[in-house]
Amino acid sequence: MSYRTEEVAYVQPAVLPAANAQATQRSTAEYRALDAAHHIHPFSDMGSLNRAGSRVIVKAQGVYLWDSEGNKIIDGMAGLWCVNVGYGRKELADAAYRQMQELPFYNTFFKTTHPPVIELSALLAELTPEPFNHFFYCNSGSEGNDTVLRIVHQYWATQGKQSKKVVISRRNGYHGSTIAGGTLGGMGYMHEQMPSKVENIVHIDQPYFFGEAEGNLTPEEFALARAQQLEAKILEIGADNVAAFIGEPFQGAGGVIFPASTYWPEIQRICRKYDILLVADEVIGGFGRTGEWFAHQYFGFEPDLITLAKGLTSGYIPMGAVGLHDRVAKAIIEHGDFNHGLTYSGHPVAAAVALANLKLLRDEKIVERVKTDTGPYFQKKLRDTFANHPIIGEISGAGLVAGLQLAADPKTRKRFANGGDVGTICRDFCFNGNLIMRATGDRMLLSPPLVINKLEIDEIVSKAKKAIDATAQQLGIS
Ligand code: PXG
């Protein structure tokens, strides 16, 4: 059964059974028609999606999803890079149920707090690197990065350096889809639809070796040159005007781009030299993805702020947070009001679920297993399977995250002229083979739940191989 080919006629809602919040038993056609009639999806061309019909996911367990047609699908993306503990963990459902009965909501604004947010903050202080002992909560990664901007500006105000306003980020970085998140991100197609942007944000180039290195530079030389763009940009703007640099330790949505080992130490050196805050957006990299608890630990640098979301709750409930290095926290704490907050900052149910989730990650040694066992197995299996593959130019990644570069000529790093289309072809073969693998342009991405076992890794890699072989065949390459 293919998903993308079936055309579903537009059906007026009136001819369908009454909408029912509990309904789980409609036919696929009914679901699709109601979805088309009432639901605008994120980042989608709704006209063509409604004509083709959405895939309806109805349940999940472990690393598997089931759709409304009864197909069992292996989830190579952990939802949207977030279901770190896998699907169906009753401990998380129980934590939410208990908390909803005990205290479903109370705010943390007016001199109040509550046990779940207290416990969560204390546990985060244990799990994050030593200088991180304070956390501010929100509902998503985007709000986390909005919060980062607020903290950065407040920090410099406390230092009497209000002129430090500019935040530098990177082209093809992703930091969310609020106005601030979208401006911080470097996705041109998002900027084009955003006539209103946040002021004082500028971009430098990304450390994408395969796609952007020219001449005979080694990956290390190229990464160093890209990091040095930060210094050039600071000198252009004036260090007195630059507040912070923000980057994902590895770019997730941008294609699982892992910079060479020279990149982050140089970025850190430059930030320290010019007195600029360094922000690590850990929304994807955090909570074990690389085999370290946080991706900045994998790359060996020490940020001043970290943005957290996704794996914080394994996606079971929305929550984001910002972790503040002691030197930033001290300034914020000692200088009066910080005028920022959301109704649901530190929501008790979200905090209870986050707490239960982090205990699973810690007590079941899930992160350690990614580092020493399943991560290395996954990376080796991918590299062995695709060694000398005619359309695989590069495999990036560590732990349980990987990017597979599709290329017209892997040896000369020649990319397909229509790379995005090739990625879509490959993604559709994956769909038809019941594997979720994400395409970003001409890179295929994997980021499975961290509880995946070796048999399931074998299944993902063999399904990915079939899809990539089929793509090569369709292109007439073998
Ligand atoms: N920072 C990073 C590094 C992210 O990857 C956000 C911030 C924003 O988080 P929220 O919770 O506001 O979405 C993200 C989100 C994709 C995809 O298709 C990636 C994200 C979100 C949706 C889709 O790769 N990353």
Side-chain angles (χ1 to χ4, degrees):
M1 176 81 209
S2 84
Y3 291 92
R4 296 275 142 176
T5 49
E6 190 182 335
E7 292 278 325
V8 178
Y10 179 81
V11 180
Q12 290 294 338
V15 305
L16 293 164
N20 171 359
Q22 300 296 319
T24 52
Q25 294 301 327
R26 297 181 190 276
S27 70
T28 300
E30 282 177 346
Y31 277 134
R32 287 180 174 171
L34 271 180
D35 191 72
H38 300 298
H39 180 197
I40 308 283
H41 293 226
F43 284 94
S44 299
D45 170 345
M46 286 314 300
S48 68
L49 179 57
N50 288 346
R51 282 188 295 280
S54 287
R55 169 183 259 179
V56 184
I57 301 296
V58 293
K59 66 172 186 174
Q61 183 65 42
V63 300
Y64 291 99
L65 306 163
W66 280 264
D67 70 11
S68 54
E69 309 273 84
N71 292 302
K72 182 182 177 189
I73 304 151
I74 191 159
D75 185 2
M77 281 304 297
L80 269 182
W81 323 77
C82 54
V83 188
N84 289 14
V85 296
Y87 298 96
R89 291 303 303 248
K90 197 163 174 303
E91 296 87 341
L92 273 59
D94 287 344
Y97 181 70
R98 276 197 309 272
Q99 189 57 45
M100 281 202 184
Q101 294 178 95
E102 192 75 21
L103 180 70
F105 177 73
Y106 202 71
N107 72 70
T108 51
F109 277 52
F110 310 117
K111 300 186 180 180
T112 57
T113 187
H114 51 71
V117 80
I118 295 167
E119 298 291 347
L120 174 60
S121 305
L123 183 57
L124 278 172
E126 261 177 49
L127 297 175
T128 50
E130 204 247 307
F132 290 90
N133 291 296
H134 295 85
F135 301 88
F136 185 100
Y137 297 96
C138 51
N139 303 289
S140 66
S142 301
E143 287 180 1
N145 286 324
D146 279 45
T147 299
V148 159
L149 289 186
R150 302 290 288 276
I151 294 174
V152 162
H153 295 316
Q154 173 73 353
Y155 174 80
W156 288 117
T158 68
Q159 307 301 298
K161 295 187 177 174
Q162 281 88 344
S163 67
K164 277 179 154 316
K165 284 200 186 99
V166 176
V167 175
I168 302 176
S169 65
R170 299 171 309 170
R171 297 188 186 94
N172 199 38
Y174 189 81
H175 298 294
S177 198
T178 53
I179 298 287
T183 311
L184 282 171
M187 301 300 185
Y189 56 89
M190 289 173 72
H191 288 188
E192 277 163 28
Q193 291 184 346
M194 290 167 58
S196 316
K197 296 194 189 65
V198 170
E199 291 169 74
N200 298 313
I201 291 174
V202 300
H203 297 81
I204 59 171
D205 288 326
Q206 58 176 334
Y208 175 25
F209 177 78
F210 192 93
E212 298 185 359
E214 283 171 1
N216 293 323
L217 290 181
T218 65
E220 289 71 25
E221 289 164 347
F222 171 76
L224 203 58
R226 285 290 155 106
Q228 284 161 356
Q229 279 196 10
L230 176 60
E231 188 156 28
K233 188 55 93 180
I234 292 167
L235 293 173
E236 177 193 322
I237 299 167
D240 286 348
N241 300 319
V242 181
F245 172 77
I246 182 169
E248 306 151 82
F250 65 88
Q251 290 152 257
V256 183
I257 290 166
F258 266 59
S261 60
T262 45
Y263 185 76
W264 282 108
E266 181 68 358
I267 293 281
Q268 175 163 300
R269 182 191 71 74
I270 295 165
C271 287
R272 298 280 180 269
K273 178 172 174 190
Y274 297 99
D275 200 14
I276 282 155
L277 293 176
L278 174 51
V279 186
D281 183 337
E282 291 274 4
V283 167
I284 283 179
F287 304 106
R289 185 53 58 197
T290 61
E292 300 292 342
W293 272 87
F294 297 92
H296 72 265
Q297 297 171 299
Y298 174 84
F299 287 100
F301 67 101
E302 188 179 283
D304 298 296
L305 292 162
I306 50 178
T307 319
L308 308 171
K310 297 196 190 267
L312 172 61
T313 57
S314 282
Y316 278 58
I317 202 160
M319 186 176 232
V322 176
L324 291 75
H325 191 290
D326 286 343
R327 64 174 159 258
V328 180
K330 187 166 181 287
I332 301 293
I333 290 164
E334 286 179 358
H335 280 82
D337 279 344
F338 175 47
N339 298 316
H340 174 55
L342 305 150
T343 304
Y344 299 133
S345 287
H347 191 286
V349 178
V353 172
L355 192 62
N357 169 62
L358 298 182
K359 286 182 178 167
L360 286 184
L361 285 171
R362 179 191 63 186
D363 298 343
E364 296 186 354
K365 303 203 182 315
I366 292 169
V367 180
E368 283 89 329
R369 208 161 62 237
V370 174
K371 180 170 182 167
T372 60
D373 188 22
T374 47
Y377 181 82
F378 177 64
Q379 297 297 330
K380 181 169 187 318
K381 184 99 197 167
L382 282 172
R383 284 167 177 77
D384 290 349
T385 303
F386 292 103
N388 303 317
H389 192 282
I391 62 164
I392 295 294
E394 164 189 78
I395 296 179
S396 61
L400 286 174
V401 62
L404 285 69
Q405 174 76 52
L406 303 172
D409 183 357
K411 296 215 166 51
T412 58
R413 300 206 316 264
K414 180 163 180 274
R415 294 167 72 185
F416 290 107
N418 59 341
D421 298 339
V422 178
T424 304
I425 293 170
C426 185
R427 205 256 332 264
D428 289 348
F429 278 123
C430 293
F431 264 45
N432 294 336
N434 290 327
L435 163 68
I436 306 271
M437 175 153 72
R438 181 172 169 351
T440 284
D442 55 3
R443 287 173 77 87
M444 303 305 299
L445 316 183
L446 288 168
S447 172
L450 302 185
V451 292
I452 194 167
N453 65 33
K454 290 180 183 169
L455 266 180
E456 292 159 344
I457 289 174
D458 291 349
E459 181 182 341
I460 285 188
V461 176
S462 90
K463 285 185 165 170
K465 170 93 167 42
K466 268 195 198 130
I468 291 168
D469 286 349
T471 306
Q473 201 179 5
Q474 179 158 330
L475 297 169
I477 303 171
S478 58

